[in-house]
Amino acid sequence: MISSAYLGLLFFIAFLEINRKKENHFDFLTLFNIIFALMYPLPAFVLDADFAARAELSFRSTLYISNPQTALAIFLGYFFVIIGFYSSDAQKYGKFIFIETRSDNFVTVYAVLLLLFSCVSIQIYSSQYGNFLYAISNAGLIRAGAATEEGGALGFFKHLMLFSIFSSYLFGSFVLSKKFWKWRLILYTTFLISVVIAVVTCLMEGSRMILITYFLVWYLVWVLKTGRLSLQFTIPVLCFIALFLLYGKPIAFSLTALPDGYVAVWERFQEYLSNQPDSGFNFYKFMGNFVYPIHSLDAAINTQYNMRLFLDWLYAFATILPERLLNVDVPDTITVYNTEYIVGPVDYSIPPGFLAFGFYSLSWAGVIIVCLTYGWIGRYLQTIFKNNIHAVPWMPFIYVLTAKLWIDFQTAGDPRVFIMFNLWCLLSTLPFFFIASKISISKNKNKKRPVRKSCVHRY
C-alpha cells in the first residue's frame, strides 16, 4: 500500500514537471524535483516493494521497515516545498533586485586573481603531503583518512584551491558571449588553463560530486544559452554521471598508481574491477548513492532524542572559526548523531538530508518550517537571477551555481556539511558581487532591466 503511494508521488512529480509553465527548459524546481525523486520516493518505493532491496540498500545492520510516518513526512515535505516555491511574496520581492556589472575589467582581474590564488593554494596544500603528485594520486585515501592526516591550517587551503572553478566559469562567460574578441587568443588560452586547473583541483579534493557538478554546471549553462535540450547531448551527459557514480571510487583508487605512469593507472583500474564479483551495472549499487535520506528520516522519526531547535546553524558557523578564537568546545552537529542513530559508532558519517534535519530540529513542525522556508528562498533567488539573466555575461553561471547551492542543502541537511562542502563557492562568489557588480533595489515597476547585446542569446 505504501509502495503504491510512493509510486503515485513519483508519477505526480513527473506530471507536474512536464506540464507546469517554465520560461526555460529547467529552473530551480526542475532540479529540486529530480533530486527529491531520487532521494525520497524512488528509494523508498524500492525498499517497500522489493524485500531483497532492504538487505542490499541497508547500512550494515540497519534494515528498513515500512513506516507510514516516513511516507507522511515525504509527502508533507514535498508539498510544503511546492507551496513555499509558489509564494507570491517570493516572486514579488525578488523582482525588486537589479544587478549590473561594474566593468568587464573588474571581472577579468577578479578571475585572474582567483586563478592565481588557487595555484598558490594547490602548492601550499600539497606541500603537507610532500609533493603535488602524492596529493593528487592519493586524494581518495586522504579524504577517507587512510593517508597522512591534513595538518592544521594547511587543510583549509583544500577549500581555497577550488577557487579555480569559479574562475573558469568567469572566463567561460566571456568565451560564450564572445567578449574581448580582439584578445580571443589570450582569452581562450587563459580559459583552457583555468579549466585544466579546475579539473586538477576537483581530483585533488577527492570527491566525485564536485567533479560531476563542475561539468554539470557547464551543461546547464549551455542549455540556458542555446535554449536547446538536445537528447544527443543530454543522454551522454546522464550516462557519464551514472558511470562516474558507479566507478568513481575505483578511479580514485587507480590514481594511487599515478607515480608509476598512466599505464599503471589503467592496469590498477582493471585489477580493481577484476576483483569485484559484480563490476557491471547494478541497480542496487546505483541506488545506494541516494538511499541515506530514507534511513535518516526513519531514524529521526523512530529515535528518542532532544529537539535540536535549529541550533545546528549556529554550530555550523562556529565550527568554521578557529577553536582558539572561540575558546569553547563546539557541540557535534546533527550528522554525528544521525550516523550513530542509524549504524552506531563508525568511521564514516551519514548526513541527514533536509527532511530529517527538520524533524530533528522541531519534529513535524520542523519539517513544515524547513520545507516552506526552503521553497520560498528557492523561488526568491530564482526570481532575482532569472530577471537579471540578460544583464551580464556571467549571470547564467550565477543562476546555475545558486540553484546548485539550493539543491545541496536538500541533499546535506546538516548546515555544517552544506557550508563546508560549498565554502569555496561562497568565498569566491559573495565578494564578487561587492567587487564586480552593482546591486540596487527599486520598487519602480517601469524600470527596465539592463540588457547587453553581447550576452543575449535565444532562450
Side-chain angles (χ1 to χ4, degrees), residues 28-47:
F28 281 40
L29 190 58
T30 300
L31 302 180
F32 168 80
N33 281 332
I34 294 172
I35 300 301
F36 187 89
L38 284 172
M39 291 179 57
Y40 289 103
L42 181 57
F45 168 74
V46 174
L47 288 169

Side-chain angles (χ1 to χ4, degrees), residues 70-139:
T70 302
L72 178 61
I74 292 173
F75 275 79
L76 281 178
Y78 180 77
F79 286 109
F80 273 106
V81 169
I82 297 299
I83 292 172
F85 189 84
Y86 281 101
S87 168
S88 58
D89 287 343
Q91 302 174 59
K92 180 178 68 175
Y93 294 130
K95 292 179 180 179
F96 296 155
I97 309 298
F98 291 80
I99 302 175
E100 302 174 72
T101 187
R102 292 185 183 275
S103 167
D104 291 334
N105 292 331
F106 274 105
V107 179
T108 305
V109 171
Y110 189 82
V112 171
L113 290 176
L114 283 182
L115 191 60
L116 293 175
F117 199 89
S118 176
C119 293
V120 173
S121 299
I122 290 173
Q123 176 61 33
I124 296 175
Y125 172 75
S126 60
S127 66
Q128 65 186 324
Y129 301 108
N131 55 66
F132 168 80
L133 190 59
Y134 181 90
I136 192 171
S137 61
N138 291 274

